[in-house]
């Protein structure tokens, strides 16, 4: 689950949750813009910079292809996001080289850490 210390960033027009501003570990007063499931979208900056990153990116990251690291496999697999929120993200395999079936879903608790990567 997303920590309470993270600040929500919502779109002005409709109040849609775009992501969060995570306090930077090594820089007091600085924030890292992250997705609704905790993946960093940029470097630490002031609050306005972080909001600008989230507004510019919007929710487009939900349509990207992602890589998922699995414990029993040396190489990550390609996945797409099916559902994303502050409590969990659901992804499905789109990797034809994966021994499991195409469309196999994985539920990940948030924040996702390093298991899920963009690209």
């Amino acid at each position: 689950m997303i920590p309470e210390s993270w600040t929500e960033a919502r779109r002005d027009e409709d109040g849609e949750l775009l992501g969060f501003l995570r306090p930077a570990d090594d820089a007091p007063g600085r924030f890292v813009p992250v997705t609704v499931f905790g993946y960093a979208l940029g470097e630490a900056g002031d609050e306005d910079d972080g909001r600008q990153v989230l507004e510019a990116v919007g929710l487009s990251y939900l349509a990207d292809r992602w890589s998922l690291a699995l414990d029993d496999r040396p190489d990550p697999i390609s996945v797409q996001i099916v559902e994303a929120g502050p409590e969990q993200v659901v992804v499905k395999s789109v990797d034809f080289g994966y021994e499991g079936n195409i469309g196999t879903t994985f539920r990940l608790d948030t924040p996702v850490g390093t298991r899920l990567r963009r690209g």
Side-chain angles (χ1 to χ4, degrees), residues 4 28 45 88:
E4 289 183 22
Q88 72 176 359

Side-chain angles (χ1 to χ4, degrees), residues 13-88:
E13 301 86 56
D14 59 6
E16 183 72 34
L17 179 64
L18 298 175
F20 294 90
L21 298 172
R22 181 189 79 204
D25 295 330
D26 57 351
R30 310 280 283 171
F31 300 90
V32 177
V34 299
T35 65
V36 296
F37 49 89
Y39 180 84
L41 293 172
E43 299 295 319
D46 65 27
E47 188 172 345
D48 288 336
D49 290 341
R51 287 188 189 282
Q52 286 178 1
V53 168
L54 289 169
E55 288 172 8
V57 172
L59 295 172
S60 65
Y61 59 82
L62 295 175
D64 291 344
R65 188 162 288 204
W66 293 77
S67 295
L68 175 65
L70 300 174
D71 293 335
D72 59 346
R73 184 179 163 90
D75 297 318
I77 64 170
S78 293
V79 296
Q80 288 180 325
I81 295 172
V82 175
E83 181 182 324
E87 288 146 13
Q88 72 176 359

Side-chain angles (χ1 to χ4, degrees), residues 1-2 20 36-37 84-89 107-112:
M1 178 170 292
I2 297 297
F20 294 90
V36 296
F37 49 89
E87 288 146 13
Q88 72 176 359
V89 61
R107 293 181 184 279
L108 309 171
D109 291 332
T110 60
V112 293

Side-chain angles (χ1 to χ4, degrees), residues 101-119:
N101 294 326
I102 292 292
T104 299
T105 59
F106 301 88
R107 293 181 184 279
L108 309 171
D109 291 332
T110 60
V112 293
T114 58
R115 279 192 75 192
L116 193 61
R117 295 202 168 278
R118 210 171 190 181

